[in-house]
């Protein structure tokens, strides 16, 4: 079946440091890929997405590129802020048929940014 | 942006009782909603897909008689945990699919419901 694997956390960084959270996936066909963020005490929010190979999703300074050849969708940010502290989830979704809209999540990566 | 609400946000109940959790899409019609379960420090696991006007589709290993889902309208889905036991204690999260315009489908998540069964 489909699966998503994220780098294990927690990740602790100083403010303005560079962030990478690795994500790889296993799926048949051509899934859409997502990064969701969960701030403390809140629900999941879509951070960015990419729907086909070589697409780059970006939002709030975060970026991720859909790499079909390496089945990866790594999340990056050039300079993190304390307010970026949250749990980040990589996910995939298959379009069409009974799988449409169902999300398969990675295990989540806790990010803590210190001043 | 679109908002999905859940009620209650937190519930504590005695073992053997049933608990109902509501999921509402507040400014769009959702023919499809999803129910997830999240254990501490773990990922979200899809439990079932809730379809308006038809039976829910359950994932493998999820007991449909234990977790009753009703999608009575285009803006409301309910999850009832029947005869709850301590092992059902978890964080339950719903999401609602907004088909959007021009094929720009988006899924919006509720804030979650923390269930503690004593």
């Amino acid at each position: 079946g489909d699966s998503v694997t994220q780098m294990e956390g927690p990740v602790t960084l100083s403010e303005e440091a560079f962030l990478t959270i690795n994500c790889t996936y296993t799926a048949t066909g051509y899934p859409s890929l997502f990064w969701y963020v969960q701030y403390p005490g809140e629900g999941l929010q879509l951070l960015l997405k990419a729907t086909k190979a070589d697409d780059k999703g970006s939002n709030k300074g975060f970026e991720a590129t859909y790499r079909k050849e390496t089945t990866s969708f790594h999340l990056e940010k050039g300079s993190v802020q304390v307010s970026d502290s949250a749990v980040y989830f990589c996910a995939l979704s298959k379009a069409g048929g009974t799988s449409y809209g169902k999300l398969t999540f990675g295990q989540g990566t806790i990010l803590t940014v210190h001043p | 942006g679109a908002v999905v609400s859940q009620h209650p946000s937190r519930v504590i109940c005695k073992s053997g009782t049933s608990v109902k959790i509501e999921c509402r899409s507040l400014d769009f019609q959702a023919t499809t909603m999803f129910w997830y379960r999240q254990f501490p420090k773990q990922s979200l696991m899809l439990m079932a897909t809730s379809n308006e006007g038809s039976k829910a589709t359950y994932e493998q290993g999820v007991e449909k008689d234990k977790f009753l889902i009703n999608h009575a309208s285009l803006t409301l889905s309910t999850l009832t945990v029947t005869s709850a036991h301590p092992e059902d204690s978890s964080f339950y999260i719903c999401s609602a699919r907004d088909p959007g315009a021009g094929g720009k489908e988006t899924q919006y998540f509720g804030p979650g419901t923390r269930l503690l069964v004593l």
Side-chain angles (χ1 to χ4, degrees), chain B residues 9-85:
Chain B
S9 59
R10 183 185 300 264
V11 57
I12 301 173
C13 69
K14 294 182 179 180
S15 185
T17 60
S18 294
V19 175
K20 180 185 285 188
I21 302 170
E22 294 184 347
C23 177
R24 294 182 184 273
S25 58
L26 298 184
D27 55 5
F28 65 96
Q29 294 184 332
T31 55
T32 303
M33 293 183 175
F34 302 92
W35 286 96
Y36 295 85
R37 184 173 178 177
Q38 185 180 26
F39 291 99
K41 298 184 180 180
Q42 294 188 30
S43 185
L44 284 75
M45 299 300 295
L46 179 65
M47 299 175 64
T49 303
S50 173
N51 301 296
E52 189 269 336
S54 65
K55 292 183 179 181
T57 304
Y58 290 82
E59 295 300 299
Q60 192 172 10
V62 178
E63 300 176 60
K64 61 181 181 180
D65 296 330
K66 172 77 171 175
F67 299 99
L68 300 179
I69 291 173
N70 184 278
H71 196 147
S73 76
L74 287 171
T75 58
L76 173 64
S77 175
T78 60
L79 168 68
T80 301
V81 183
T82 62
S83 186
H85 288 91

Side-chain angles (χ1 to χ4, degrees), chain A residues 33-111:
Chain A
L33 302 175
F34 306 83
W35 276 101
Y36 282 86
V37 58
Q38 186 177 31
Y39 296 104
E42 298 183 17
L44 273 76
Q45 301 173 29
L46 178 64
L47 180 59
L48 54 85
K49 69 178 182 181
T51 58
K52 61 182 187 294
D54 299 324
D55 268 3
K56 176 185 285 187
S58 61
N59 186 26
K60 300 181 180 179
F62 291 89
E63 293 183 341
T65 300
Y66 190 141
R67 301 287 189 199
K68 189 166 177 62
E69 64 274 15
T70 55
T71 63
S72 65
F73 193 54
H74 305 321
L75 182 68
E76 297 181 337
K77 186 173 185 181
S79 177
V80 293
Q81 305 299 312
V82 173
S83 57
D84 293 327
S85 298
V87 183
Y88 292 81
F89 291 94
C90 185
L92 69 81
S93 175
K94 302 279 283 291
T98 57
S99 298
Y100 190 61
K102 290 169 57 174
L103 288 164
T104 300
F105 285 90
Q107 67 269 40
T109 301
I110 300 172
L111 170 65

